[in-house]
Amino acid sequence: MLEKYKYGLLAALFLLVLIAVVQASYRWWVPSQSVLSEGTAQDYVELKKAANTKGGNWLRTLNSDIQEVRGDLLWNSDNQVGMMRLVNLPNPTTGYQYHIWAYDSHRPSDQPISIAVLDRGSGQQEWFVPLTASESMPSPYKFELTLEPVDTQQTANPLVLLMVQF
């Protein structure tokens, strides 16, 4: 009886293997939409509970594109890690990216530290983004989310959209 369905079963098996290979290669060839890895709500809760973690809500500017954005930012200076939570952050305009900058009291105020670059928004989903600094930040006091052209590291006057102060 199996002889009757032998070629049909082989074709179905071949099709399943082909689908798996295409799916795996798609994930390998197509770059991630985000420059950063994703965090989870559990990571956020654990960081919030950790000793010496500071946090604050994002304060919005008058820019109409970000009036619906909600979220906050956590930073733990002992572990030099942080996390931000965003909801309703729109995708940046083509050719632009979001950049998170931190200001530390041990550095001149005109020398912020780059924390993260985002090439997409959060949509309506709650998005948890892990944060790490490129250098030690013992006493951060302000974080800014700016909109900047993709082709530059830091613009002379980046457009500040959101801010958190401790």
Side-chain angles (χ1 to χ4, degrees), residues 23-85:
Q23 196 171 30
S25 62
Y26 177 80
R27 290 181 184 198
W28 184 69
W29 281 103
V30 175
S32 172
Q33 288 187 340
S34 174
V35 174
L36 299 173
S37 63
E38 299 281 331
T40 66
Q42 183 62 35
D43 297 333
Y44 177 86
V45 169
E46 288 175 16
L47 181 60
K48 194 170 189 173
K49 288 180 182 178
N52 299 322
T53 295
K54 293 182 179 181
N57 292 322
W58 285 112
L59 304 172
R60 293 181 289 274
T61 61
L62 296 177
N63 186 311
S64 61
D65 293 337
I66 52 103
Q67 290 305 303
E68 299 298 318
V69 177
R70 296 186 325 270
D72 51 7
L73 183 140
L74 303 173
W75 184 259
N76 187 297
S77 293
D78 294 345
N79 298 325
Q80 292 293 293
V81 296
M83 184 167 285
M84 66 180 177
R85 184 180 62 85

Side-chain angles (χ1 to χ4, degrees), residues 78-103:
D78 294 345
N79 298 325
Q80 292 293 293
V81 296
M83 184 167 285
M84 66 180 177
R85 184 180 62 85
L86 292 162
V87 179
N88 293 327
L89 180 68
N91 285 330
T93 308
T94 302
Y96 285 81
Q97 64 190 3
Y98 295 115
H99 202 143
I100 292 81
W101 296 96
Y103 294 81

Side-chain angles (χ1 to χ4, degrees), residues 79-150:
N79 298 325
Q80 292 293 293
V81 296
M83 184 167 285
M84 66 180 177
R85 184 180 62 85
L86 292 162
V87 179
N88 293 327
L89 180 68
N91 285 330
T93 308
T94 302
Y96 285 81
Q97 64 190 3
Y98 295 115
H99 202 143
I100 292 81
W101 296 96
Y103 294 81
D104 189 88
S105 63
H106 290 84
R107 294 176 55 93
S109 62
D110 64 344
Q111 294 179 10
I113 299 168
S114 177
I115 300 295
V117 175
L118 308 174
D119 62 1
R120 68 177 175 94
S122 65
Q124 294 179 348
Q125 299 291 328
E126 200 169 39
W127 188 24
F128 297 95
V129 180
L131 303 174
T132 56
S134 55
E135 55 190 88
S136 179
M137 292 192 329
S139 300
Y141 63 90
K142 179 171 70 170
F143 292 83
E144 290 179 342
L145 184 137
T146 63
L147 183 64
E148 302 175 7
V150 171

